[in-house]
């Protein structure tokens, strides 16, 4: 079994790749929350490439025990979007 650092790293990679895929879906005019689990795109298109990168990241994360459900991935992405909306300049810094 892999250590916690590997799980954290691959889990973060999974969500970073998903974020890129979801952003591209939005730019393409799709409702990302409904389109991503079942959409298929013509090969050699940017959406197909991003979908493939996410699929590889998901497989790598699963290999070390990080296997969130589709609903958990959707929820996590929504939380991350809300966080970015609250702090558009990045996380707040503590002064002092």
């Amino acid at each position: 079994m892999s250590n916690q650092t590997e799980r954290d790293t691959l889990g973060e990679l999974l969500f970073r790749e998903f974020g890129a895929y979801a952003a591209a879906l939005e730019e393409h005019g799709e409702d990302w929350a409904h389109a991503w689990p079942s959409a298929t795109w013509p090969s050699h298109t940017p959406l197909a490439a991003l979908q493939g990168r996410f699929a590889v990241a998901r497989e790598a994360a699963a290999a070390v025990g990080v296997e969130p459900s589709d609903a958990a991935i959707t929820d996590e992405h929504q939380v991350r979007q809300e966080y970015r909306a609250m702090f558009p300049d990045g996380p707040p810094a503590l002064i002092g």
Side-chain angles (χ1 to χ4, degrees), residues 2 7 11 24 29 48 51-52 58 60 62 64 67 70 79 91:
S2 184
R7 288 191 296 275
Q51 185 180 41
R58 194 173 196 181
V64 294
E67 300 181 70
D70 289 355
V79 166

Side-chain angles (χ1 to χ4, degrees), residues 17-84:
E17 290 300 330
F18 181 76
Y21 180 43
L25 286 171
E26 286 180 337
E27 291 173 10
H28 192 259
E30 299 288 337
D31 177 2
W32 70 267
H34 291 82
W36 83 267
S38 61
T40 57
W41 310 105
S43 54
H44 307 296
T45 64
L47 285 175
L50 288 168
Q51 185 180 41
R53 288 174 57 114
F54 167 65
V56 169
R58 194 173 196 181
E59 287 179 27
V64 294
V66 179
E67 300 181 70
S69 67
D70 289 355
I73 290 170
T74 300
D75 291 345
E76 177 67 18
H77 184 67
Q78 287 172 331
V79 166
R80 288 173 183 232
Q81 282 184 314
E82 291 168 6
Y83 181 84
R84 281 191 298 275

